[in-house]
Amino acid sequence: MAIDLNAAALARLPEGVEGPGYDRAGLSAGIVHIGVGNFHRAHMAVYLDRLFSTGADHDWAISGAGVRAGDARMRDALEKQDFLTTVVELDPAGLSARVTGAMIEFTEIDAAKLVARMSDPAIRIVSLTVTEGGWFVDAKTDGFDAAHPDIQHDAEHPDAPKTAFGMILLALKRRREAGAAPFTVMSCDNLPENGHVAKQTVIGLAKLSDADFAAWVEANVAFPNSMVDCITPATSDRERALVKDRFDLVDAVPVACEPFRQWVLEDNFPQGRPKLEDVGAEFVADVAPYELMKLRILNGGHAAIAYPSALLGHHFVHDAMADPRIKAWLEALETREIIPTLEPIEGVDFGAYRRKVEERFSNPEIGDTIPRLCFDGTNRQPKFVLPVIRDALSKGQAIDGLALEVALWCRYCAGTNEAGEAIAPNDDNAEDLKRRALAAKDDPQAFLSNATVFGDLGAQPAFADAFARQIKSLWTDGVAATLERYARG
């Protein structure tokens, strides 16, 4: 019979389920984490759980927090289980489960109570996982979105904030008034230069109401950059059933994730930090090269397989990776054109990283889908592919495969796969993209002239010519033959 997950259950966990290797009663909070979703519990919380199991740093436990009404559901669910989480690692060689206990509390969804918790000098890090869209970044400029209504509210009412960033500022102000050192603000979101984005948002908001205090924050608060990575699907009835049926535990909010996780951090924590390097995290002087490696090899790799896989009729990513045409295309593109644009990183083997990425893509337990990878090409191509083309052109390197990737996106946007079946719209700009993609059969510039996506890149002769050759090949010879021709070299 399945056991309800709670503190009492730790003494009688089912066989094959590991529990916290430490006494949770001896933990105290040193971190407030805002945004207790699946990724946080699969990533940061797992690192800390492992660290506590070594007997170290028990004063760095997590105090959960949220600022949205929806966060109350997660809090309520976790409170009933004494803030424990079952983490299932979806390893094709055999699933494993561990109950993690690094979180010891979760503040009520109340601004005043969260500000008070962050004002406690025992809290030395405030970390956040609020998703890319939660950082108030202007999509057009990549700068701070000062005009957002929630930001305007917090600027006008700094003592009654609505946003996490207004609450952070109020807590920092109270700590300064009390003579307590400021905490470090650490973004754990999967976006480039996440520390710089956090700093931009916090200081940008402060400047709207108190320029002197904003200057103090800029001079005294650390915002380390980090690179985070762990594929973590959303929890559904499937994951709850998996935990109950396979591991005899009843967990309302379990987490299922891949067995791989990576965390590279800038070592900038003036008030101290847990020794996460003892459990696999990497502390470096500059995170940017690692971010670029991930953006180009992993995210660029996702883009590379997305559109040919959809055109050849694949739904799941692991099925696409089992197709030798897709796998050979990805390996050739990454090796010949993507990796050569990267500057070496001491101690990092790009080839080994690429092979690990391919292994992760091939994991059938994840159940990742091709439609997810194809989603929102208008925004993803300028982030993950076009900068690689610009870089390669500036260095005089090959771009035929990169141009083929863009041509495959164009062919996908035309709205039918190789079997003539309709492709459901998967982009806010799908109608315009389809019109341009169909016109590109005869006039490739019809697609490349989309300045919102390509800027001036579409007019650069080397790229335009390569794209024209590849889109012609896709329509004339078909996707499979074009991929195979490129892979053969």
Side-chain angles (χ1 to χ4, degrees), residues 2-7 9-10 13-20 22 24 36-43 45-46 49 74 77-78 80-90 95-103 232-236 238-258 261:
I3 300 171
D4 289 336
L5 180 61
N6 54 41
L10 293 179
L13 288 175
E15 184 177 354
V17 178
E18 293 187 52
Y22 48 90
R24 294 180 76 223
V36 182
N38 278 22
F39 182 77
H40 164 71
R41 293 181 298 138
H43 194 261
V46 169
D49 181 75
M74 179 63 76
L78 287 172
K80 291 175 183 176
Q81 350 188 129
D82 298 312
F83 311 107
L84 296 166
T85 292
T86 309
V87 178
V88 177
E89 294 197 346
L90 302 171
L95 275 60
S96 64
R98 179 180 178 87
V99 173
T100 62
M103 180 183 297
T232 310
T235 294
S236 66
R238 170 181 176 266
E239 285 70 35
R240 283 183 279 271
L242 171 67
V243 170
K244 183 178 180 180
D245 297 343
R246 183 77 68 91
F247 298 105
D248 290 326
L249 275 176
V250 177
D251 185 334
V253 283
V255 173
C257 61
E258 67 171 332
R261 54 181 56 81

Side-chain angles (χ1 to χ4, degrees), residues 7 25 131 181 195 205-206 239 288 300 304 352 437:
T131 75
L205 175 56
E239 285 70 35

